[in-house]
Amino acid sequence: MKLANHRGRAVLVVPDGVLDIAAASAGRFGPDIQSVLADWVSFASWAAGADTAATSGPVDVADLDAVVPRPGQVLAVGLNYRLHAEEAGLPIPEVPLVFTKFPSSITGPVGDLELPTDQVDWEVEVALVIGREARRVTRAEAWDHVAGITAAQDFSARDVQLAGGAKPQFNLGKSFEGFTPLGPYLVTPDEYDDRDAIELECRINGELLQKSTTADLIFTVPQVVSYLSHIVTLRPGDVILTGTPSGVGLGFDPPRFLAPGDEVVTTVALAGRMQHVARRPERAFDAAAILG
Ligand code: ZN
């Protein structure tokens, strides 16, 4: 099953178009996709038997909003691919390194990316969307709590992220407006031949810079979900970014960052392709000027 958020309304994506969930369920679910996720278990059983005859035609990806627009929590794992930890010059972590991206940074799958600084970097990631509350779940139970998979970008202003020396500011450097595109589709895990080997890639101006699969994760999806659920209660609609593979701009010598006009294409198998074009901000971020 595949869902999208079409102009603020949850839709089921079916072979010949989309089905408006609120209309098809006579108002039982939706139209807000966040409310569909909040009631995921009931929704999934309804959707399994839904009459998909009343579809409208295919929709334009440019008309899709973030597939999870207002999650309660967005947790993200850093350094979760071996080669990425190596390119960052950092040791392989012994436990998941977790930070948050504030929900106000979420945006849709197609659009502009404002560059608040001249050190904005790309990070394609596979994102998990929680469908059933998870509190102290085991690794074996973890996947049962995941509603689906989507594509994410973890855009990062490296200068802001790494400001503060030994106390870097991951949460802030990765939470500028528009830094967390999510979409275009939410795909249920059963759609994958192997849900533990999901392909992801990122291209800048057509150049393939990141390509991997979640089979290369240091901490697997079951490990990440179980570990986090022993600390925070994961609720339906929460989002977890599982980490980025090697090939980010910071890993180049000299480092490469996004410039106005650059096109970032972010792809996760079955979840689709996002496209963002970097542009100059109306006002650049200048910490020294702000702080006076
Ligand atoms: Zn990341």
Side-chain angles (χ1 to χ4, degrees):
M1 181 166 60
K2 216 171 191 179
L3 275 76
N5 185 8
H6 183 237
R7 294 182 166 147
R9 296 183 69 90
V11 294
L12 264 177
V13 180
V14 292
D16 53 345
V18 299
L19 181 73
D20 185 276
I21 288 169
S25 68
R28 185 174 163 203
F29 302 105
D32 177 11
I33 196 165
Q34 209 70 56
S35 74
V36 172
L37 291 166
D39 200 10
W40 180 257
V41 175
S42 308
F43 167 76
S45 80
W46 170 82
D51 174 7
T52 59
T55 54
S56 51
V59 294
D60 189 338
V61 176
D63 290 331
L64 299 182
D65 298 319
V67 75
V68 189
R70 299 180 317 282
Q73 307 183 96
V74 183
L75 297 149
V77 186
L79 303 181
N80 204 15
Y81 287 82
R82 206 163 292 275
L83 292 176
H84 175 55
E86 284 171 13
E87 76 180 347
L90 293 165
I92 304 296
E94 288 169 14
V95 295
L97 299 181
V98 180
F99 57 91
T100 190
K101 285 172 77 78
F102 296 110
S104 58
S105 64
I106 291 173
T107 193
V110 176
D112 286 346
L113 166 72
E114 190 171 281
L115 302 176
T117 80
D118 56 9
Q119 294 191 26
V120 177
D121 203 348
W122 52 87
E123 294 192 356
V124 57
E125 313 213 359
V126 168
L128 313 172
V129 182
I130 298 297
R132 195 147 71 86
E133 185 170 293
R135 189 154 185 263
R136 298 188 196 119
V137 301
T138 64
R139 297 191 302 280
E141 294 164 335
W143 270 115
D144 295 340
H145 295 262
V146 176
I149 301 298
T150 194
Q153 256 296 342
D154 177 15
F155 286 124
S156 306
R158 299 298 187 199
D159 45 348
V160 178
Q161 177 191 344
L162 301 172
K167 305 272 192 296
Q169 307 269 9
F170 274 47
N171 301 350
L172 292 179
K174 291 166 172 280
S175 287
F176 282 94
E177 193 89 26
F179 268 26
T180 310
L182 293 174
Y185 306 113
L186 177 73
V187 184
T188 52
D190 60 291
E191 295 280 343
Y192 292 92
D193 292 335
D194 182 352
R195 63 190 181 182
D196 293 303
I198 298 171
E199 291 165 340
L200 68 167
E201 65 169 57
C202 180
R203 289 174 188 265
I204 309 296
N205 300 326
E207 183 186 359
L208 181 63
L209 289 178
Q210 294 188 278
K211 185 176 174 60
S212 189
T213 100
T214 54
D216 290 336
L217 286 171
I218 295 171
F219 296 103
T220 64
V221 167
Q223 285 176 308
V224 167
V225 170
S226 175
Y227 180 80
L228 290 173
S229 80
H230 282 79
I231 299 170
V232 297
T233 300
L234 299 170
R235 297 201 176 89
D238 284 352
V239 173
I240 301 170
L241 274 64
T242 53
T244 200
S246 61
V248 303
L250 194 62
F252 286 83
D253 184 16
R256 292 170 63 168
F257 299 114
L258 292 172
D262 283 350
E263 180 203 53
V264 183
V265 172
T266 307
T267 310
V268 164
L270 304 186
R273 175 181 181 275
M274 304 198 290
Q275 182 185 15
H276 297 91
V277 177
R279 68 173 174 83
R280 207 174 293 285
E282 283 171 24
R283 186 174 297 185
F285 176 79
D286 182 346
I290 294 163
L291 297 171

